[in-house]
C-alpha cells in the first residue's frame, strides 16, 4: 500500500533553485504545499494551504504524498516543519523511510 489517496485532480510541481511547491487547482480554487531545498539531500516542508472549498477531498494529504513519492524516487529526505505535514507523517508510517 502506497499511502497515496485516490486523486481526482492533478498535482503540479514547480521548482526553483532553492524552493518548490506542489499545487492543485480545482474550480478556481488553489491548494499548495511549499518547501525549501536544504542542500541536495533534503527538502523542508514549510506550509500546506488548502482553501475551504477543497476541504474533505484529501487534497492536503495528496500534496504531501506526492512529495513523499518524488523524494523517495530521488533518494532525498523530508523534514516536515509544517504542522499539517508533520501530522500526516505521524499517521502514515509507510512514509517514515523518507523522514529526517
Amino acid at each position: 500500500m502506497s499511502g497515496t489517496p485516490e486523486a481526482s485532480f492533478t498535482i503540479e510541481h514547480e521548482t526553483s533553485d532553492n524552493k518548490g511547491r506542489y499545487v492543485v487547482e480545482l474550480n478556481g480554487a488553489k491548494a499548495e504545499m511549499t518547501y525549501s531545498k536544504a542542500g541536495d539531500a533534503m527538502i523542508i516542508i514549510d506550509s500546506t494551504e488548502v482553501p475551504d472549498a477543497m476541504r474533505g477531498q484529501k487534497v492536503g494529504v495528496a500534496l504531501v504524498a506526492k512529495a513523499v513519492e518524488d523524494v523517495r524516487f530521488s533518494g532525498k529526505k523530508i523534514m516536515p516543519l509544517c504542522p499539517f505535514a508533520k501530522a500526516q507523517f505521524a499517521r502514515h508510517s509507510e512514509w517514515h523511510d523518507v523522514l529526517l
Side-chain angles (χ1 to χ4, degrees):
M1 182 171 174
S2 69
T4 304
E6 292 296 319
S8 57
F9 42 81
T10 301
I11 299 174
E12 301 292 332
H13 184 208
E14 302 169 2
T15 185
S16 68
D17 287 344
N18 56 1
K19 295 210 172 273
R21 70 183 191 146
Y22 292 89
V23 180
V24 170
E25 290 190 53
L26 280 177
N27 303 321
K30 185 183 290 188
E32 73 174 2
M33 185 199 74
T34 61
Y35 65 88
S36 300
K37 296 177 185 176
D40 292 330
M42 179 177 65
I43 68 166
I44 300 167
I45 298 177
D46 304 312
S47 174
T48 306
E49 299 288 335
V50 178
D52 289 340
M54 291 186 188
R55 299 223 187 256
Q57 299 180 55
K58 302 198 181 292
V59 173
V61 70
L63 291 169
V64 178
K66 180 64 173 151
V68 168
E69 179 183 313
D70 289 353
V71 163
R72 198 176 269 148
F73 180 76
S74 67
K76 296 181 182 182
K77 297 287 185 182
I78 293 177
M79 179 185 291
L81 292 185
C82 161
F84 176 82
K86 193 176 283 192
Q88 293 308 311
F89 272 94
R91 291 185 184 117
H92 294 273
S93 61
E94 69 273 17
W95 296 348
H96 288 185
D97 61 308
V98 300
L99 190 59
L100 186 65

